[in-house]
């Protein structure tokens, strides 16, 4: 299984861009990178996913390096409500059309006023 | 509103007393999962289900049972709870749509076993 490595914590000033890195050097060619976040003890929330092209949606942008060994989640204008634990996940195929997400420890992002 | 609901949200029980945590989704999703979350260990998958009557073990299935008799419901059963099952539990569901597997999570159930 492709494993991910993230820094345990990061700070970001309110209004600035938050750039959250993730290493996934053992990722396979057809495995997707997913990002979720968890605010306090609420259920995790989907943010974005990608395979090899950069992706953008209303929440964030995902930049994946050309060799796919790492990626960066970008929150363009962080607000206090973005304070959360952010999980970078490599989706793995578990057979019979089923895919599994293995959550690691994530990065705790603190947005500072 | 599309959602995953869990009940109860909070439960304190004693060792050995059977309990069930219910999970229901209104999105007609084929896939459902149960996770537990413990400090320092992140989210770990207990069981998952690919459709009605199809379930399989996740990473930490010991001490748990599940059933999937209807598409919308996926209860988690602890036949004889023990203190090491004290945890925060999340149910999730998602639809099978090619590369896109956004999982929708419930609000969580905080279980304490004394």
């Amino acid at each position: 299984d492709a494993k991910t490595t993230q820094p345990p914590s990061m700070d970001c000033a309110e209004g600035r861009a938050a750039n959250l890195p993730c290493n996934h050097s053992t990722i396979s060619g057809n495995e997707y990178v997913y990002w979720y976040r968890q605010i306090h003890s609420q259920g995790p929330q989907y943010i974005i996913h990608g395979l090899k092209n950069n992706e953008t949606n209303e929440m964030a942008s995902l930049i994946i390096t050309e060799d796919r060994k790492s990626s960066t989640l970008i929150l363009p204008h962080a607000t206090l409500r973005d304070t959360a634990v952010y999980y970078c996940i490599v989706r793995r195929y578990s057979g019979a059309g089923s895919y599994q997400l293995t959550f690691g420890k994530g990065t705790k992002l603190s947005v500072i006023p | 509103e599309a959602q995953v609901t869990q009940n109860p949200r909070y439960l304190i029980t004693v060792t050995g007393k059977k309990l069930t945590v219910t999970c229901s989704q209104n999105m007609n999703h084929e896939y459902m999962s149960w996770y537990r979350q413990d400090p320092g260990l992140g989210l770990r998958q207990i069981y998952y289900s690919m459709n009605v009557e199809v379930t399989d073990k996740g990473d930490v299935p010991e001490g748990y049972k599940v059933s999937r008799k209807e598409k919308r419901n996926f209860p988690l059963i602890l036949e004889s709870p023990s203190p090491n099952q004290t945890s925060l539990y999340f149910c999730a569901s998602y639809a099978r749509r090619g590369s896109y597997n956004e999982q929708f999570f419930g609000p969580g159930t905080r279980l304490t076993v004394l």
Side-chain angles (χ1 to χ4, degrees):
Chain A
D1 296 342
K3 184 180 174 179
T4 61
T5 304
Q6 299 177 255
S9 64
M10 291 181 64
D11 292 339
C12 178
E14 188 177 17
R16 305 297 292 268
N19 296 284
L20 292 93
C22 179
N23 284 320
H24 32 78
S25 58
T26 59
I27 194 169
S28 298
N30 59 353
E31 289 181 323
Y32 282 76
V33 179
Y34 275 69
W35 283 83
Y36 279 72
R37 73 179 183 184
Q38 186 176 23
I39 296 172
H40 194 45
S41 293
Q42 298 176 23
Q45 175 191 23
Y46 166 84
I47 302 173
I48 199 167
H49 76 284
L51 181 62
K52 51 185 175 182
N53 297 321
N54 297 339
E55 303 287 346
T56 295
N57 63 19
E58 63 277 5
M59 288 181 70
S61 295
L62 174 61
I63 309 298
I64 303 174
T65 58
E66 194 168 338
D67 63 8
R68 302 211 325 120
K69 293 185 176 182
S70 65
S71 60
T72 301
L73 178 75
I74 301 172
L75 307 179
H77 305 287
T79 70
L80 298 178
R81 286 176 293 183
D82 291 323
T83 292
V85 177
Y86 287 77
Y87 298 97
C88 169
I89 303 158
V90 173
R91 188 189 71 166
R92 73 178 195 267
Y93 183 66
S94 57
S98 177
Y99 294 86
Q100 301 306 317
L101 300 178
T102 300
F103 288 77
K105 297 181 181 179
T107 295
K108 179 165 175 51
L109 175 69
S110 299
V111 180
I112 301 166
Chain B
E1 180 191 353
Q3 60 181 352
V4 178
T5 57
Q6 296 178 225
N7 282 292
R9 295 289 313 281
Y10 302 90
L11 179 61
I12 301 174
T13 188
V14 295
T15 298
K17 186 176 181 182
K18 180 179 179 180
L19 66 92
T20 299
V21 183
T22 65
C23 173
S24 183
Q25 50 96 3
N26 63 0
M27 295 167 279
N28 202 36
H29 287 166
E30 297 90 351
Y31 295 91
M32 297 185 75
S33 289
W34 275 103
Y35 296 85
R36 61 177 288 174
Q37 186 170 33
D38 304 288
L41 295 177
L43 275 152
R44 294 179 293 169
Q45 190 178 56
I46 303 170
Y47 268 95
Y48 63 96
S49 170
M50 292 166 278
N51 216 324
V52 175
E53 302 291 2
V54 182
T55 63
D56 206 349
K57 297 177 181 179
D59 298 318
V60 287
E62 294 78 21
Y64 304 94
K65 285 175 58 177
V66 292
S67 70
R68 188 93 182 271
K69 293 184 170 55
E70 304 166 282
K71 198 171 188 178
R72 63 182 292 126
N73 296 324
F74 190 43
L76 180 70
I77 303 156
L78 285 72
E79 294 269 4
S80 182
S82 61
N84 65 12
Q85 292 178 299
T86 292
S87 188
L88 178 59
Y89 291 87
F90 290 102
C91 179
S93 75
Y94 67 98
R96 179 182 173 182
R97 290 196 199 110
S99 72
Y100 181 59
N101 296 128
E102 175 183 353
Q103 291 203 28
F104 292 82
F105 283 80
T109 294
R110 190 168 291 280
L111 172 66
T112 301
V113 183
L114 302 174

